[in-house]
Amino acid sequence: MTERTKPSNGKKKSAEAKAAKAKSGAAKTNVTQPQLGFIGMCRWAWRQLTTMRVALILLLILALAAIPGSLLPQRIQDPGRVNTFLENNGAWGEFLDTIQMFDVYSSIWFSAIYLLLMISLIGCVIPRSAQHWKAMRSAPPKAPRRLGRMPGYVAFTSARDEDGSGDRAAADEAFLDTAQARLKKLGYRTSRHSDHIAAERGYLRETGNLVFHIALLVATLTMAIGSLFGYQGQRILVEGDTFTNSLVAYDSFEPGSYYDADNLPDFRLKLDSFTSTFDDRAAGNQFGQPRTFDAKVTATADGKSESHVLRVNEPVRVGSTGVYLTGNGYAPEITVRDAKGDIVQSGPQVFIPDGGDPGYTSEGVIKVPDAAGTQMGFVGVFLPTATQNEDGELVSSFAELRNPYLVMSGYTGDLGLDNGTPQSVYSLDAENMTEMTDASGNPLLIQLSEGDTQKLPNGGSVTFDGVKKYIAVDISQDPTQGLMLASAIFVLLGLGLSLFIPRRRMWVRIKDGAVEVAALARGEDPMVERAATDLAADLRDDDDDPDDAEGRDAPKSPTDSRGRSKR
Amino acid sequence: MDVNTDLAMWSNQLIISAMIVYAVAMIFFAFDLFGGRELKTTQDKVAATAKVSTVRRTNRKTATTAVLDPPETEDDEAAPSTSSSTSRAKRRRGARIGTSLLVLAFLLHAAAVITRALSVMRVPWGNMMEYVLTATAITVLVYLTVNIKKDVRYLGTFVSGGVLLCLGLAITVFYTPAAKLIPALDSYWIAIHVPIAILSTALLYISAILAVFQILKSVHETKDPKWLRFMHRLPSSVDLERISYTIAAVGFITWTFTLIAGAIWAEVAWSRYWGWDSKEIWTFVVWVIYAAYLHARATRGWGPTKVAVLNLIGIAAVIFNFTVVNVYFNGLHSYSGLD
Ligand code: HEM
């Protein structure tokens, strides 16, 4: 574990103090330390920014800065909840909004932190890559004089030529040959010096580390850029509906800044049917939980139609566009007649289920602008399985259609559709309307089982014809997804290499038959001592049986197993 | 939609049995760690050896300290081995019984996981209760595996204790009847993303206990207060740091994988790979904290104790992510199975 960035962290205090002085000097009188001008300051800042110490602090700040987004509602997730929060919290809410606490991940401060990290990362990766490139192409460094100080160290006397009959120097040479061959076999890069072999292995560790950091950089950039070129849209489809991919067909559409909506790919999607099942056997809180959501759809592109089953975890992909099932509910079919008996409204009306209710109690509105006389509006609740609870209230006890029931109130007056202000189709602005009343003057309660019709005081009527199901889909395109996946894979690969490949230097020196074997770890390497002892043991074995030592394919088994374990 | 309720009941019974055995194992481990009369007789020798080795270690550059330690053979028991082997065997009897009991408890526990899975014919991590049930089993498995390579029986008290506590929560607060999956979870990604998350949590938990021991041990080595006497039998803080780091490093990789697999699943399910959902936020926060931990270790000016504190902040975030975020924060990941 060495820090490879150069600036002297040890002296950081004085450096900082100097720079602080220089700063004030530059700003005011230029008296104190004029040498450190603007360029100097930039250099100083750059060097600080690219130290690991600063990267570390930035990482910690990044972790902290990400937290508020999980505590406060965020606009990217749920703008509605943000508005509620603002309404309930007055000045405090406004203050939070000013400092972008509801848009944490696109805020100036959050962006600043990760941009600084990215710059820091670039500043550290480039010089390290250069250094590593050089290191990979140069020979392993020569042995230091005193090998005894290395963490792994073994000394012994070579058995070769102990009787002194032959040439001492030749025996030493032969010994080094053997040692070099063995180190090579163990995956070391070696270089031969007069009295020793220098060897190094594990360059992949640093390579992996650089790959990791670079892939991280690419991933972050991809994430930042990806949102600019894609789009996301939502649409609700009732059984039988067909969606044609064009801007007007979306209920909501959020393009990236550089997305050209004219280029929406041409396709159609029809919802043939939707089936959902819910658990009516499980005990406790598992009762009524959903078990299957299957949407049968037909996708048509380039004149070809294909049937698919769209499920929550199985999007349908048409070309580069993905269609994802994100919600579902019931759309009661309701017919409204006016006083003359003419049908003024008919067909399925989307009711939105209350997210927390396993019984799918749903709310919806019906707007009838074209009735004879006055406009009408209805606000209601739909209960798939209506039941009376202990308190006598009507609730839905199960999500399937076992006893569908509709409860509504009606209004007459101005729906406010004509003044041009956009309205949600799922809410009714009853400000300029009067509630319908029954004969005794109480608010009118419209209660309908499937097939029922109820008369309205103005002479019209409401009929509950049946129920259809609907699905909500997200439709989106993100052209950068592939790149993101690739960088993620490189992040993992690089990380694996950089954390688990030991990088190690070894030296074998022989002088007049006195052998020294030493090993030095570069980075985490719990095996460094064993590397030296094992190599020494192997070389001794070879000594005893020199003919067998070089280039043999199958070394003696105990040696071999130890040799392997170090790779 | 059929659930084999008999098997599910068996599973609950097995959980209770495993808990009883974990409790007994914990007591034996605690005796091994904190008790022991022989301590006084060997303690001087032990202390002497420990000092020698720390001195030898600290006069080397911090940058390479961690890699200079003796290989495993010399570890843990190196110092006590100077005392007579009979007294040592006696002294570690608690640890041996504890380990045997832990293995037994693990078998019961594994049986509980398997019967639960069979009762619903799916992966046993479809809600918070099952997640805890499986995660604790994996934690014990990881611990026993590490124990084969390295004697870490001194952690036994906290492994069995932690598992006991979690199982207690699982069958009370988190209890969820056996049932099939909801559609949102019904994907093969649940068989990839979740078990790796479980494995990461197990690894990071064990690394964190080691970090606590490391901090205590370094206090013991420098100040030697009375209440830390029991620390004599633990390996040096340098060794503890290294094991803790190695496990955390593996945990970081698996956590990275969890994050990536989660993003891929998110694309499949929610049409985008990253959307700052509260669970995504906290998974990211945890990841950044451990990245900082790994950096801190390689940064000058960050001593081992400070680095260990980062490790502890990391595990705190992991636990927060699993408990508070699951139960109280609303987001897309609301699968706790709780009301
Ligand atoms: C200025 C920015 C950065 C610098 C200067 C930097 C530098 C380094 C260096 C020198 C190492 C190797 C440590 C060793 O020798 O073991 C390293 C490892 C690592 N870095 Fe960074 N890094 C930076 C940014 C980041 C970022 C933004 C992340 C992720 C959030 C990150 C995650 C890691 C991880 C996980 C390791 C592996 C730890 C290890 O090898 O022990 N780094 N970094």
Side-chain angles (χ1 to χ4, degrees):
Chain A
M1 289 278 138
T2 45
E3 180 165 8
R4 275 157 221 151
T5 38
K6 293 218 188 67
S8 50
N9 278 335
K11 288 187 221 147
K12 70 175 196 223
K13 287 244 167 62
S14 61
E16 258 164 24
K18 243 189 231 163
K21 265 192 213 158
K23 203 171 170 184
S24 59
K28 286 176 201 157
T29 51
N30 254 356
V31 179
T32 25
Q33 293 223 315
Q35 315 94 300
L36 238 161
F38 180 70
I39 306 258
M41 250 177 65
C42 286
R43 263 164 119 188
W44 173 84
W46 172 254
R47 264 189 285 149
Q48 285 298 306
L49 191 59
T50 52
T51 57
M52 262 176 88
R53 195 170 52 87
V54 171
L56 170 59
I57 291 167
L58 284 172
L59 277 174
L60 290 174
I61 297 177
L62 182 69
L64 266 182
I67 294 175
S70 73
L71 305 174
L72 293 167
Q74 296 295 300
R75 287 211 170 82
I76 43 164
Q77 247 123 33
D78 196 344
R81 271 183 62 218
V82 175
N83 288 339
T84 319
F85 188 96
L86 282 173
E87 277 162 26
N88 296 340
N89 285 277
W92 169 235
E94 282 193 5
F95 170 72
L96 288 177
D97 201 14
T98 324
I99 57 170
Q100 298 178 298
M101 278 294 177
F102 305 109
D103 307 281
V104 167
Y105 306 101
S106 51
S107 69
I108 295 174
W109 44 274
F110 192 80
S111 314
I113 296 166
Y114 79 75
L115 280 177
L116 278 177
L117 251 179
M118 290 303 111
I119 295 170
S120 164
L121 196 49
I122 293 170
C124 111
V125 159
I126 293 174
R128 273 174 65 204
S129 302
Q131 223 175 340
H132 185 50
W133 178 250
K134 258 199 257 161
M136 277 202 302
R137 292 175 338 144
S138 55
K142 278 174 134 179
R145 262 213 332 217
R146 294 185 25 212
L147 285 177
R149 292 189 151 180
M150 293 296 147
Y153 179 74
V154 179
F156 63 93
T157 313
S158 170
R160 283 180 213 227
D161 198 40
E162 269 197 328
D163 47 15
S165 58
D167 181 353
R168 178 72 256 168
D172 283 358
E173 284 293 310
F175 181 89
L176 285 182
D177 286 342
T178 318
Q180 187 164 21
R182 184 160 282 282
L183 279 164
K184 274 196 176 139
K185 212 163 181 178
L186 290 173
Y188 284 81
R189 277 202 5 225
T190 60
S191 75
R192 180 78 173 253
H193 301 275
S194 60
D195 65 341
H196 73 274
I197 308 283
E200 179 158 7
R201 57 151 292 157
Y203 294 87
L204 266 180
R205 181 190 185 89
E206 180 73 358
T207 310
N209 193 284
L210 290 170
V211 165
F212 167 79
H213 283 91
I214 293 168
L216 209 57
L217 207 61
V218 175
T220 313
L221 288 177
T222 310
M223 188 150 167
I225 293 169
S227 59
L228 302 178
F229 295 98
Y231 78 87
Q232 271 236 328
Q234 282 81 35
R235 169 67 195 254
I236 281 179
L237 289 173
V238 180
E239 286 174 300
D241 277 0
T242 299
F243 165 82
T244 307
N245 195 24
S246 65
L247 216 42
V248 290
Y250 284 92
D251 295 332
S252 72
F253 188 81
E254 300 131 40
S257 314
Y258 295 117
Y259 188 79
D260 182 1
D262 294 340
N263 286 342
L264 277 175
D266 197 16
F267 69 87
R268 272 179 298 143
L269 192 84
K270 176 164 184 266
L271 176 62
D272 302 316
S273 67
F274 177 71
T275 46
S276 50
T277 57
F278 297 82
D279 200 332
D280 56 1
R281 297 203 196 156
N285 55 16
Q286 291 292 304
F287 178 84
Q289 291 288 315
R291 295 297 172 228
T292 54
F293 292 144
D294 291 349
K296 291 211 170 61
V297 297
T298 307
T300 310
D302 301 328
K304 273 182 295 196
S305 290
E306 269 184 61
S307 295
H308 300 271
V309 181
L310 172 65
R311 296 195 176 94
V312 179
N313 284 301
E314 293 168 39
V316 169
R317 299 190 195 267
V318 188
S320 59
T321 310
V323 181
Y324 307 77
L325 180 62
T326 56
N328 64 77
Y330 294 110
E333 294 171 283
I334 298 163
T335 302
V336 182
R337 290 184 169 81
D338 63 13
K340 291 196 278 182
D342 291 337
I343 294 179
V344 282
Q345 171 72 51
S346 177
Q349 299 288 329
V350 169
F351 276 51
I352 308 288
D354 165 7
D357 178 27
Y360 266 55
T361 301
S362 311
E363 289 179 16
V365 302
I366 307 165
K367 297 180 186 179
V368 189
D370 302 324
T374 170
Q375 295 187 330
M376 285 188 277
F378 300 89
V379 178
V381 174
F382 174 71
L383 307 166
T385 302
T387 325
Q388 266 191 352
N389 68 8
E390 306 93 74
D391 304 331
E393 293 161 345
L394 266 186
V395 294
S396 178
S397 58
F398 197 63
E400 284 176 17
L401 294 173
R402 300 212 167 151
N403 181 25
Y405 201 69
L406 201 54
V407 183
M408 298 195 292
S409 344
Y411 296 85
T412 51
D414 182 9
L415 283 169
L417 295 176
D418 306 324
N419 63 11
T421 45
Q423 283 193 3
S424 162
V425 288
Y426 305 116
S427 68
L428 186 79
D429 179 10
E431 204 166 310
N432 298 319
M433 305 186 84
T434 32
E435 187 160 8
M436 297 179 187
T437 48
D438 59 18
S440 49
N442 294 322
L444 176 74
L445 204 57
I446 303 165
Q447 290 180 295
L448 302 167
S449 287
E450 203 170 332
D452 288 355
T453 300
Q454 184 165 342
K455 286 266 176 226
L456 296 175
N458 64 4
S461 68
V462 183
T463 308
F464 178 17
D465 302 309
V467 185
K468 281 196 164 178
K469 292 176 179 166
Y470 72 85
I471 61 171
V473 290
D474 269 20
I475 299 165
S476 79
Q477 237 183 33
D478 180 352
T480 58
Q481 247 164 233
L483 183 60
M484 193 66 189
L485 185 62
S487 20
I489 289 168
F490 278 108
V491 162
L492 259 183
L493 266 179
L495 198 58
L497 293 178
S498 93
L499 286 176
F500 294 117
I501 294 219
R503 185 163 180 199
R504 188 186 298 145
R505 288 183 181 156
M506 291 198 78
W507 296 277
V508 178
R509 177 145 64 198
I510 186 164
K511 204 161 187 193
D512 296 332
V515 181
E516 289 179 292
V517 176
L520 170 68
R522 313 203 58 217
E524 191 70 20
D525 181 4
M527 301 294 282
V528 64
E529 282 182 60
R530 187 168 295 176
T533 35
D534 283 359
L535 181 69
D538 291 352
L539 291 175
R540 278 181 123 148
D541 284 355
D542 293 346
D543 257 9
D544 295 337
D545 194 1
D547 301 330
D548 195 22
E550 265 172 80
R552 65 189 161 181
D553 296 321
K556 284 176 219 141
S557 54
T559 322
D560 183 43
S561 63
R562 261 177 297 160
R564 290 257 166 90
S565 71
K566 282 181 296 194
R567 283 186 205 193
Chain B
M1 241 170 258
D2 296 304
V3 170
N4 188 331
T5 43
D6 285 344
L7 273 178
M9 238 157 65
W10 265 103
S11 174
N12 292 348
Q13 296 300 325
L14 283 164
I15 295 174
I16 308 271
S17 328
M19 282 175 68
I20 295 169
V21 185
Y22 277 127
V24 183
M26 181 177 73
I27 293 168
F28 275 96
F29 276 125
F31 264 114
D32 174 58
L33 184 62
F34 300 110
R37 269 158 289 129
E38 274 85 356
L39 196 59
K40 283 219 172 67
T41 57
T42 51
Q43 129 189 339
D44 293 333
K45 268 188 214 161
V46 175
T49 330
K51 273 216 184 86
V52 169
S53 66
T54 33
V55 168
R56 185 171 62 81
R57 274 165 195 147
T58 42
N59 63 12
R60 289 178 176 142
K61 276 206 315 241
T62 18
T64 40
T65 316
V67 296
L68 298 180
D69 302 315
E72 275 120 79
T73 47
E74 223 185 284
D75 269 345
D76 306 70
E77 295 297 315
S81 70
T82 52
S83 61
S84 83
S85 57
T86 47
S87 87
R88 223 186 93 215
K90 230 193 212 162
R91 220 183 65 205
R92 297 308 305 260
R93 192 187 287 153
R96 277 187 289 123
I97 299 176
T99 307
S100 311
L101 285 172
L102 196 65
V103 171
L104 174 63
F106 171 72
L107 293 177
L108 291 167
H109 193 163
V113 173
I114 292 168
T115 43
R116 177 80 179 198
L118 289 177
S119 78
V120 282
M121 293 308 281
R122 60 166 172 78
V123 292
W125 46 74
N127 51 52
M128 243 174 121
M129 178 226 182
E130 291 169 356
Y131 187 99
V132 173
L133 179 63
T134 306
T136 43
I138 301 286
T139 306
V140 178
L141 187 62
V142 168
Y143 168 73
L144 289 172
T145 313
V146 172
N147 218 357
I148 292 171
K149 292 206 73 172
K150 201 139 191 132
D151 185 355
V152 286
R153 286 180 295 178
Y154 48 87
L155 299 181
T157 317
F158 298 92
V159 171
S160 41
V163 165
L164 188 61
L165 178 71
C166 291
L167 284 180
L169 287 173
I171 57 166
T172 53
V173 186
F174 298 153
Y175 183 74
T176 311
K180 298 257 152 176
L181 287 178
I182 54 176
L185 290 181
D186 194 1
S187 159
Y188 59 88
W189 282 104
I190 198 177
I192 302 170
H193 172 66
V194 184
I196 300 292
I198 287 177
L199 181 64
S200 315
T201 310
L203 289 165
L204 296 175
Y205 175 64
I206 290 177
S207 170
I209 322 175
L210 279 160
V212 173
F213 274 120
Q214 174 210 324
I215 294 173
L216 292 179
K217 182 74 187 187
S218 74
V219 172
H220 167 80
E221 280 164 359
T222 49
K223 303 211 185 74
D224 197 17
K226 266 215 176 67
W227 61 281
L228 283 177
R229 276 282 148 83
F230 69 92
M231 285 264 145
H232 279 307
R233 37 191 91 166
L234 297 199
S236 72
S237 67
V238 175
D239 286 339
L240 288 168
E241 198 275 346
R242 200 180 66 211
I243 315 171
S244 172
Y245 160 77
T246 307
I247 297 176
V250 181
F252 181 73
I253 293 194
T254 53
W255 192 265
T256 308
F257 183 87
T258 306
L259 188 86
I260 293 172
I264 299 175
W265 190 2
E267 193 281 328
V268 171
W270 303 320
S271 81
R272 84 288 182 292
Y273 58 80
W274 196 262
W276 299 106
D277 171 67
S278 52
K279 195 82 185 182
E280 290 171 340
I281 295 170
W282 278 91
T283 303
F284 173 75
V285 169
V286 166
W287 187 78
V288 174
I289 294 175
Y290 279 100
Y293 162 80
L294 295 182
H295 267 168
R297 203 165 173 276
T299 304
R300 255 177 257 161
W302 278 70
T305 301
K306 247 168 119 184
V307 175
V309 169
L310 272 185
N311 186 323
L312 298 183
I313 294 177
I315 196 71
V318 170
I319 293 170
F320 186 88
N321 190 17
F322 178 67
T323 53
V324 179
V325 175
N326 272 12
V327 180
Y328 297 108
F329 288 22
N330 40 23
L332 295 164
H333 274 82
S334 310
Y335 306 132
S336 61
L338 308 177
D339 289 323

